[in-house]
Amino acid sequence: MSAHRQWDYPLAEALRQEGRHGVPIVKAEGVNGAGRFVAGEGRHGDFKTTKEEKAQ
């Protein structure tokens, strides 16, 4: 969708728009992922998410 909205903008403005609308999403996903990693998910190849899955 962002590429469609930015089609007619000059490059500099298209990049500003991408940052303005994309950075908050990337930040939110990064914070969420970091929290899961701190909780133990993904360490040493372990992507099981619940205690029950980890017990198996």
Side-chain angles (χ1 to χ4, degrees), residues 2-46:
S2 66
H4 177 71
R5 289 182 182 169
Q6 297 168 175
W7 185 260
D8 291 325
Y9 289 125
L11 177 60
E13 181 58 25
L15 292 172
R16 277 192 288 278
Q17 291 285 334
E18 184 67 23
R20 187 176 300 125
H21 298 293
V23 168
I25 294 167
V26 172
K27 181 179 178 184
E29 291 176 354
V31 169
N32 185 14
R36 290 193 325 265
F37 182 77
V38 167
E41 184 177 338
R43 293 188 182 187
H44 307 291
D46 181 10

